[in-house]
Amino acid sequence: MAAPTLQQPSFLLANLKADSTTKPLLHRCQDLVKIIDEYPAKELHSIFPWLVETVFGSLDGIISGWNLRLLHSRSPEYNLVLDFLNPSGPMMKLVYKLQAEEYKYEVPVNYLPGPIKACIQQGVLPDCPLFHNKLQFPLSGLLTLNFNPFEFYMFNLAYCLLTPKTYPPGHHGNTADTAYFVLVDTYLKYFLPSEGNVPPSPFSDSRGSVTAPRSSGMSLSGYGVHSSSLLKHHIFHQPTVNADPAAQEIWRTETLLQMFVEVWLHHYSLEMYQKLQSPQVKEPFSPTEEHVLVVRLLVKHLHAFSNSLKPEQLSASGSAHSHTHPSPLEEFKRVVVQRFVQQKLYLFLQHCFGHWPLDASFRAILETWLSFIQPWRYTGEKATAPPDQNRTVPEKWEAFVQENLLVYTKLFQVFLNRAVRTDLVNAKNALMIFRVAKVFSQPNLPEMIQKGEQLFLEPEHVLHHRQPRGYLSPSQGGSYLSPRQRTVTDTVFKVKSHVYSIEGQDCQYKQMFGTELRAAVMKLIQQIAQARQTAKRISDHSSEIAANNSFMSWFGLGTQDQNHTFNGTEAEESGECLKKTHDLLDKALEFLCQIFKLNQGQLTQLISNMGSSEDDANGRQLPDCVQGQSGLILTDLGRMQFGPRMNVLCSRSDFLGRMGRHYLTNPETFTRLRHSPVTQRTMERPRHPRISLRPLASYRTLLILLLLYMIGALLSFGPVSSTLLIISGAFLYGLFMTLFGDKIKTH
């Protein structure tokens, strides 16, 4: 029925509004349960928009509602809210009660995602049938869409994720623990079940089932702005009332999924992306980390839902002469990912890869991507291989890889561009490199991707004798029940259609295993090797500091920092995290070599080239040394490389030169050499300045130190005080010998 005319607010609505400011949530929910059970649909119709806004908040974000995104399991209202909003709970009973009467509720077009809003405002039919034949022109002049109660409720549930939230001070919580996240998960499991069918509604009308929206099945083509009906009805996914009972239930599944996909993912225009051919599209919408985590939940559930397709139904769908008729839900499982999600998710991820800050929060985007490209992880089968080993990707997933080629190859290239601009010494960034390398190194996966690229690059003339264009790309819209759908068995055509539908017919495809990308991978490998060495060096330095602290703590001079971090470094840059970073980067190098078929010799040469290019930069910092089993070892040349500087210091005639000669030369050794029966050449050997720690190992020195500490103890001096006195005495002795040593020798 048409949207109702304006009327005076009911007393029921006025009372509920008054109670919302005085009664606690528990009492309000109890009252609502009674009202939903006892009142007729006509009265409930007037309170429904207000109640939805009270629960999910207003679309403009001014009214926060029940704050589902801030409500955690530790809250006393958590279970109460989930019970009230459960798919079989009181709120859904209200939705179905109103659905039976075919009421409509307005949503301003301004709150739709950008590309959908732009289509409607330009008089173009959106690709999603969910928005067809719903446009209204109110007297206010504000374009609105008329949704049925189920659509209106699901739109507000989905849009709740987009409204800006101000978190209270000190708020810390896990997104997966919020009432909103759990509620979305519950709705996905209920309406997209991996086992069995969608449960029939427990709240039926007089005809025995929930009334689905009626369908007129009219054509999509040619309706302009000035037509009496801007968007003609074309919702094949909404069966008639007398349809098969299974089809009666499937419309809810498809409506929920399409609403989630359109509201959460459809924020980036394919046309704009094709024009710019770059992820740097200036779009106004920027998702939050919470938004991305909910999208990942959707992706994981869709894989589990799609993979629950019965094998007999899967084989039947691939046979044109099969006499079996899969149920609407089974048919929906077969096409759900490719038809509804693929393109919009790709553009969503492409935008995030290009615009997300170069920090650890990118992990949410990364894991969403890795979840989508690994549908074999969500088959419900238990893993037989050890967790630390990559399982071989079964051959049956080759078609999925090929039909989603860009999600593997182009997003890998964009990730590569991000990776070379990040600090790989940071453990969180190293973990992301490791995760991607590990996923792409799974046995069979690189070969599947390479085969998909070969199929795409097959010359066009080979396709002329093949099946005519019948592949329905996601951009063409339509439901899985659309009569325009045709089966395409030509794999080459499928791969080309997938790429061209997103990148455009004139795209310049860059191969993942081509020479250009291989050079970029080589650059990343060099950076990984460099970061690995840096992490090991800092980790070793941190270990040395820890050892020194343990020794100096005996004197009370150890630091209080238990993590042994340096000033200005974060906790993840501590010794333990740096060791973890080194291990992660080490494994990442191994996985990248597996993906791009690099042998150990090529890797060694690549790293050595990097080392030789850095010799000039590092030569001023480190003396000449060789790599030993326990680390770097000084060569004979390295032992002498500080010599020129000490020679310069000791050759000075001022006070500093005299002090340098006192500490860096040993006159006693020179005197013994002068009086010994050796050759004249030996006697004339110059005394090169050097740092010698041998006196500290002599018994005489150790005995003197022990004696001094004992005297200090007798005089009630502690270890610290005694040490300071000994150091001060040694310095004063050196100063005295510098000033008066020559005079003493002459006398």
Side-chain angles (χ1 to χ4, degrees), residues 535-598:
K536 186 177 188 307
R537 185 167 63 249
I538 299 176
S539 177
D540 292 344
H541 188 193
S542 179
S543 299
E544 291 175 6
I545 291 178
N548 291 338
N549 284 341
S550 63
F551 172 74
M552 295 301 292
S553 63
W554 185 75
F555 300 105
L557 298 176
T559 64
Q560 299 300 315
D561 184 2
Q562 298 301 318
N563 292 323
H564 313 300
T565 57
F566 304 106
N567 291 333
T569 61
E570 300 179 3
E572 59 263 23
E573 296 175 1
S574 63
E576 287 298 321
C577 285
L578 286 167
K579 185 178 183 303
K580 179 182 177 183
T581 297
H582 180 273
D583 295 340
L584 289 172
L585 294 178
D586 209 32
K587 295 296 292 184
L589 279 177
E590 177 184 335
F591 291 140
L592 287 172
C593 289
Q594 293 175 14
I595 298 169
F596 293 94
K597 303 294 188 294
L598 293 174

Side-chain angles (χ1 to χ4, degrees), residues 45 54 77 96 119 148 159 172 180 220 291 335 464 482 486 547 608 646 663 677 697:
H45 160 67
T54 300
E77 300 173 340
Y96 294 133
C119 283
N148 65 48
Y159 199 88
H172 298 286
Y180 184 82
L220 272 171
H291 182 162
V335 300
H464 291 333
S482 170
R486 287 172 250 173
S608 64
M646 291 189 288
Y663 283 108

Side-chain angles (χ1 to χ4, degrees), residues 25-200:
L25 183 61
L26 173 62
H27 294 165
R28 281 183 280 151
C29 287
Q30 292 172 345
D31 293 342
L32 285 169
V33 170
K34 295 178 182 178
I35 291 171
I36 292 169
D37 285 337
E38 298 172 0
Y39 277 72
K42 183 178 180 180
E43 286 289 330
L44 296 175
H45 160 67
S46 64
I47 71 168
F48 184 60
W50 170 84
L51 181 56
V52 170
E53 186 177 83
T54 300
V55 173
F56 299 116
S58 59
L59 298 179
D60 57 13
I62 296 176
I63 300 175
S64 59
W66 288 358
N67 280 320
L68 300 180
R69 289 161 55 191
L70 301 179
L71 195 63
H72 289 268
S73 57
R74 57 184 175 273
S75 170
E77 300 173 340
Y78 178 82
N79 291 325
L80 173 66
V81 167
L82 291 182
D83 289 342
F84 185 80
L85 301 177
N86 189 278
S88 301
M91 190 69 179
M92 286 306 297
K93 180 175 182 179
L94 171 60
V95 171
Y96 294 133
K97 210 169 183 180
L98 297 172
Q99 187 76 29
E101 302 297 330
E102 300 188 33
Y103 284 110
K104 302 291 182 182
Y105 300 92
E106 294 181 350
V107 170
V109 170
N110 288 339
Y111 291 108
L112 298 178
I116 304 174
K117 178 173 63 177
C119 283
I120 293 176
Q121 291 174 343
Q122 297 169 10
V124 180
L125 197 67
D127 64 347
C128 179
L130 191 63
F131 305 106
H132 297 175
N133 201 35
K134 289 181 169 65
L135 192 65
Q136 296 293 317
F137 297 89
L139 296 177
S140 62
L142 182 67
L143 288 177
T144 61
L145 292 181
N146 271 1
F147 285 143
N148 65 48
F150 188 85
E151 294 167 340
F152 181 77
Y153 177 80
M154 292 304 168
F155 176 82
N156 279 271
L157 171 62
Y159 199 88
C160 178
L161 182 62
L162 307 187
T163 54
K165 294 294 180 185
T166 302
Y167 293 94
H171 174 81
H172 298 286
N174 183 7
T175 297
D177 188 41
T178 63
Y180 184 82
F181 192 92
V182 173
L183 190 65
V184 168
D185 185 44
T186 303
Y187 274 75
L188 288 172
K189 290 176 179 176
Y190 186 89
F191 290 107
L192 284 80
S194 297
E195 297 181 3
N197 295 316
V198 181

Side-chain angles (χ1 to χ4, degrees), residues 9 52 67 225 239 292 324 345 368 423 495 538 618 634 642 723 732:
V52 170
N67 280 320
V225 176
V292 175
T324 60
L345 179 65
T368 303
D423 176 17
V495 176
I538 299 176
N618 293 335
L634 278 173
F642 290 110
T723 302
L732 292 174

Side-chain angles (χ1 to χ4, degrees), residues 391-626:
R391 291 184 295 168
T392 301
V393 178
E395 293 291 338
K396 68 177 182 178
W397 295 108
E398 186 175 61
F400 179 91
V401 173
Q402 294 167 355
E403 293 173 21
N404 293 274
L405 186 63
L406 288 176
V407 189
Y408 291 88
T409 61
K410 187 152 188 180
L411 289 184
F412 181 86
Q413 296 173 32
V414 182
F415 172 76
L416 206 60
N417 293 333
R418 285 186 60 94
V420 296
R421 292 182 289 137
T422 57
D423 176 17
L424 299 184
V425 180
N426 184 292
K428 294 178 180 178
N429 292 333
L431 177 60
M432 288 190 275
I433 298 287
F434 165 79
R435 290 282 296 123
V436 173
K438 182 179 181 181
V439 167
F440 276 84
S441 68
Q442 293 176 87
N444 265 6
L445 182 56
E447 291 75 15
M448 290 179 180
I449 297 173
Q450 199 162 11
K451 183 177 179 181
E453 292 191 319
Q454 293 169 354
L455 291 172
F456 173 74
L457 296 172
E458 187 172 333
E460 285 291 334
H461 63 80
V462 179
L463 298 178
H464 291 333
H465 68 280
R466 300 180 188 265
Q467 184 173 339
R469 290 184 181 273
Y471 180 64
L472 185 61
S473 68
S475 62
Q476 293 175 278
S479 170
Y480 76 96
L481 292 176
S482 170
R484 296 182 299 161
Q485 178 184 355
R486 287 172 250 173
T487 304
V488 177
T489 57
D490 192 335
T491 306
V492 176
F493 190 77
K494 282 186 177 182
V495 176
K496 287 181 177 288
S497 298
H498 156 64
V499 176
Y500 288 146
S501 68
I502 295 177
E503 296 292 307
Q505 294 286 338
D506 301 327
C507 71
Q508 298 295 323
Y509 181 80
K510 294 182 181 179
Q511 298 181 58
M512 178 172 170
F513 295 95
T515 54
E516 183 177 349
L517 188 68
R518 189 178 180 88
V521 172
M522 298 300 103
K523 180 181 178 182
L524 175 63
I525 287 177
Q526 287 184 327
Q527 289 190 220
I528 290 175
Q530 182 179 359
R532 183 183 62 167
Q533 292 176 0
T534 303
K536 186 177 188 307
R537 185 167 63 249
I538 299 176
S539 177
D540 292 344
H541 188 193
S542 179
S543 299
E544 291 175 6
I545 291 178
N548 291 338
N549 284 341
S550 63
F551 172 74
M552 295 301 292
S553 63
W554 185 75
F555 300 105
L557 298 176
T559 64
Q560 299 300 315
D561 184 2
Q562 298 301 318
N563 292 323
H564 313 300
T565 57
F566 304 106
N567 291 333
T569 61
E570 300 179 3
E572 59 263 23
E573 296 175 1
S574 63
E576 287 298 321
C577 285
L578 286 167
K579 185 178 183 303
K580 179 182 177 183
T581 297
H582 180 273
D583 295 340
L584 289 172
L585 294 178
D586 209 32
K587 295 296 292 184
L589 279 177
E590 177 184 335
F591 291 140
L592 287 172
C593 289
Q594 293 175 14
I595 298 169
F596 293 94
K597 303 294 188 294
L598 293 174
N599 57 44
Q600 187 61 38
Q602 291 173 306
L603 179 62
T604 303
Q605 180 64 34
L606 195 65
I607 296 176
S608 64
N609 290 341
M610 174 200 69
S612 62
S613 65
E614 295 177 352
D615 280 346
D616 293 338
N618 293 335
R620 298 180 181 178
Q621 300 176 8
L622 294 177
D624 188 67
C625 52
V626 294

